[in-house]
Amino acid sequence: MTAWSCVLFDLDGTITDSAAGITATLAHTLEVMQRPVPSPAELLAFVGPPILDGFAALGLDPAQSREALAIYRERYHERGAFDSSVYPGIEEAMRAIAATGVPLALATSKPETQARRILDHFGLDDLFTFIGGASDDEARSEKADVVSYVLDNLIALEVDVSNPVMIGDREHDVHGAAANGIPTIFVEWGYGSDIEKVGSIAVADTPSDLPVFISRGTPEPPVANAAI
């Protein structure tokens, strides 16, 4: 077994249950823009991926998406950011991993400034060697780009990135990490569907599984067949 040299965590759906704040802010944004508002269940699909991808999927062109982004950001900063909670057991799991000396980093498609604010609000910012996310202008928002950015910063901080692992709840985490040669441990308590597990190397049913997986090092082969 090869020990993991560092662990990259997703935020929404992995550390925080943030759906309520995000979906309410999306609904508000679409209402202001006089666009159809999907059902709350349908809006869940937009929790986690880059927000501009979500606007495009809702039929907004680039100019409309930029307008929507401004509306969304203002509302989310004021009311949505803290309409969330930390998943039970995840802080304990992360602290258990950190206590073994394995560095933790955040790699989220949420704007980095907002991610830092949220982690500080919940008293979790001290856990991370580096907190990385999307740029405010969304030029860096795709998960692969965020992961690359986080790795670069960890290297600058002299963290060993020879054998990193990603922990996340959506296919964007799996694919974005894989684009950087990094495997993903998929978590069941987030917003991803069964098909999104494909390509992950392990599936954590509860946060308490994570310290076990990390202590074991490289687990079994990737999950190649998930229920469709």
Side-chain angles (χ1 to χ4, degrees):
M1 295 294 183
T2 303
W4 302 118
S5 63
C6 59
V7 183
L8 279 58
F9 275 88
D10 174 48
L11 181 58
D12 296 320
T14 301
I15 297 174
T16 57
D17 183 359
S18 51
I22 292 172
T23 57
T25 306
L26 277 170
H28 167 79
T29 301
L30 294 170
E31 287 169 358
V32 170
M33 296 193 69
Q34 299 183 330
R35 306 282 298 192
V37 179
S39 69
E42 291 171 325
L43 286 173
L44 275 178
F46 303 102
V47 180
I51 190 65
L52 288 179
D53 289 357
F55 291 144
L58 289 167
L60 277 64
D61 64 29
Q64 292 169 330
S65 292
R66 287 292 171 184
E67 179 184 354
L69 181 64
I71 298 168
Y72 179 93
R73 288 271 178 84
E74 180 178 3
R75 178 76 166 203
Y76 191 75
H77 183 86
E78 292 177 353
R79 299 180 57 173
F82 302 142
D83 187 6
S84 61
S85 60
V86 177
Y87 284 107
I90 190 65
E91 178 177 359
E92 293 80 359
M94 293 191 297
R95 292 198 180 278
I97 295 169
T100 69
V102 179
L104 309 185
L106 191 80
T108 176
S109 290
K110 185 185 292 297
E112 185 175 311
T113 51
Q114 197 66 266
R116 290 177 179 274
R117 181 171 173 247
I118 290 168
L119 290 176
D120 176 70
H121 173 77
F122 287 116
L124 301 175
D125 52 323
D126 67 298
L127 278 164
F128 298 94
T129 300
F130 182 74
I131 296 170
S135 56
D136 286 339
D137 63 0
E138 293 289 323
R140 180 184 67 248
S141 63
E142 296 298 327
K143 201 58 177 251
D145 295 334
V146 171
V147 170
S148 176
Y149 163 75
V150 170
L151 291 174
D152 287 345
N153 279 274
L154 289 176
I155 291 169
L157 293 169
E158 300 185 344
V159 172
D160 180 1
V161 297
S162 63
N163 194 31
V165 65
M166 179 81 200
I167 296 177
D169 71 309
R170 299 298 307 269
E171 62 183 348
H172 304 79
D173 300 311
V174 178
H175 299 160
N180 288 275
I182 300 175
T184 296
I185 296 171
F186 195 90
V187 304
E188 286 275 37
W189 54 86
Y191 309 119
S193 62
D194 281 344
I195 190 63
E196 295 185 63
K197 301 174 188 175
V198 174
S200 62
I201 56 170
V203 177
D205 294 323
T206 68
S208 62
D209 290 333
L210 295 176
V212 177
F213 286 154
I214 299 305
S215 68
R216 287 177 183 170
T218 305
E220 59 271 10
V223 176
N225 296 301
I228 299 176

